[in-house]
Amino acid sequence: MTSTHSIHHEPVITVITLNLERDGGADENGRPPARWRAAHELLKAHRPDVLLRQEMTYSRAHGQRRLHEAERLLDMRGFNGAPGSGNNPTGLFVRPTVFDVREQVEHAPLWRTPPTHIVASLREVPEVRIVMMSCHLAFNSPRGRERETDEILAAADKINQGAAFLVGGDFNEYPHPAGERVPPIDWTDDGITDRMHMMHRTNRSPDGTRTSCTYADETLLAAGLHDPARYAAHTLHQPDALWATAGQNKPSQGGPRRIDRIYVDPWLINAVLEVSIIDTPDSDHDGLKVVYSRAGMAQALRRKVARRAAYNLAF
């Protein structure tokens, strides 16, 4: 069944990305812990059609028992990514009444945490492939995130062959400050005492100061992809779409930041109706929710709408 949003009064498709800290924790008495169950009840209430998950720590164990429990609870089809060196894999779920899955794509061990990458199609537009990726970029390395971003671009290049593209997750670095609601971090602030984190998230400038890493955002936008949160804030007049998704309780690392993001191709962006942050008490990240017009998505997949010009970082 297709959701009909109570505000928009039309069939919609909902995409959510959520980094659930350490998958909610280890099993308790042979079943997922209370934090996991509460987070999935919250997700169920939002009824995603695509769910991009990060930190699926325990979801491969016991024959993927936890993955299958999430499938049953959410009424979705789930996929686990490879564990990688961080042993904290990504995952991706789709609603099978909305999307047909064609294949799952495996990635070489370049990634610290490989993405979960599938190719799907919207039921009413079966001829168009949609490349979907759930990603969690390297927490510890600016260079690593740069390499991983370049691999995202390799997947996004399929739009030149007629495919659609959607990627989302925890990028572990910051958006370019142009047009943002959350001010950039001042790394000279005495309150930022986590020096290790500073090395994870900054590069050294020629003058010796530390500059926030924004490579992923700048590169994906420069390639012509679009950030629904920016689109919602600046085109749909929804400024809260640009609020922080993580770091609320970490002043020593610079405080609240918008590190969980979604990017789509320049046709799909036109179908966005609403972007909001989901307060998620059971994780150190809040969820990010993007609502699309289903009819608008079908039009975008067929490229019956104009390609939106690349985002202007001189905003």
Side-chain angles (χ1 to χ4, degrees):
M1 179 184 295
T2 301
S3 298
T4 300
H5 196 278
S6 60
I7 296 174
H8 304 295
H9 305 291
E10 65 171 298
V12 299
I13 290 175
T14 299
V15 178
I16 293 175
T17 185
L18 174 64
N19 180 339
L20 177 57
E21 184 180 15
R22 298 288 295 174
D23 213 5
D27 281 359
E28 298 172 353
N29 300 316
R31 62 179 303 208
R35 288 177 59 221
W36 186 95
R37 297 195 302 274
H40 282 75
E41 288 294 340
L42 177 63
L43 287 168
K44 183 178 180 179
H46 286 273
R47 204 173 190 281
D49 299 295
V50 178
L51 172 60
L52 312 173
R53 272 285 320 278
Q54 298 81 50
E55 300 201 16
M56 299 270 285
T57 315
Y58 301 97
S59 292
R60 298 175 65 89
H62 308 293
Q64 303 189 94
R65 182 173 66 196
R66 193 176 292 195
L67 175 82
H68 297 319
E69 186 158 347
E71 288 179 317
R72 289 190 293 272
L73 180 63
L74 300 173
D75 197 21
M76 301 179 79
R77 180 180 176 187
F79 300 86
N80 272 319
S85 61
N87 199 31
N88 207 12
T90 59
L92 193 155
F93 297 79
V94 294
R95 191 167 300 284
T97 55
V98 177
F99 295 98
D100 292 312
V101 178
R102 299 184 178 199
E103 64 175 316
Q104 181 172 7
V105 180
E106 301 294 335
H107 282 261
L110 172 149
W111 300 72
R112 178 176 176 82
T113 301
T116 306
H117 177 173
I118 68 168
V119 180
S121 58
L122 184 66
R123 278 290 176 92
E124 54 265 48
V125 193
E127 70 275 15
V128 178
R129 295 169 297 149
I130 309 172
V131 177
M132 300 182 182
M133 299 177 74
S134 172
C135 67
H136 193 172
L137 301 195
F139 82 95
N140 62 318
S141 172
R143 271 65 58 193
R145 290 192 296 274
E146 290 175 7
R147 292 191 298 272
E148 292 169 349
T149 299
D150 294 343
E151 291 301 306
I152 293 174
L153 279 187
D157 193 63
K158 296 295 188 293
I159 68 174
N160 291 322
Q161 301 171 21
F165 184 73
L166 184 155
V167 63
D170 180 353
F171 284 84
N172 268 326
E173 63 175 47
Y174 314 106
H176 185 283
E180 286 293 306
R181 179 176 180 182
V182 180
I185 296 174
D186 176 4
W187 293 100
T188 66
D189 188 324
D190 291 340
I192 301 177
T193 56
D194 190 335
R195 307 293 294 183
M196 188 74 72
H197 183 79
M198 185 184 296
M199 294 303 101
H200 292 333
R201 299 294 174 88
T202 66
N203 285 308
R204 181 185 169 95
S205 298
D207 64 2
T209 59
R210 306 303 301 187
T211 302
S212 292
C213 294
T214 58
Y215 179 87
D217 188 51
E218 292 180 27
T219 300
L220 297 178
L221 294 177
L225 299 179
H226 282 267
D227 171 1
R230 278 192 172 92
Y231 176 81
H234 302 309
T235 303
L236 304 180
H237 310 293
Q238 299 172 16
D240 287 351
L242 292 175
W243 191 235
T245 60
Q248 286 86 347
N249 299 315
K250 297 180 179 179
S252 66
Q253 297 180 354
R257 300 290 121 196
R258 193 172 77 89
I259 65 172
D260 302 271
R261 301 187 296 275
I262 289 174
Y263 297 87
V264 297
D265 68 66
W267 292 273
L268 277 181
I269 190 65
N270 294 288
V272 172
L273 297 174
E274 178 188 359
V275 178
S276 57
I277 308 301
I278 302 172
D279 183 19
T280 311
D282 297 288
S283 184
D284 57 348
H285 290 245
D286 287 332
L288 174 66
K289 175 180 176 179
V290 182
V291 178
Y292 298 83
S293 160
R294 183 161 180 163
M297 180 175 283
Q299 287 288 91
L301 294 173
R302 296 185 179 106
R303 299 194 175 176
K304 300 296 186 182
V305 295
R307 175 178 186 151
R308 191 168 181 83
Y311 188 84
N312 179 13
L313 287 177
F315 186 92

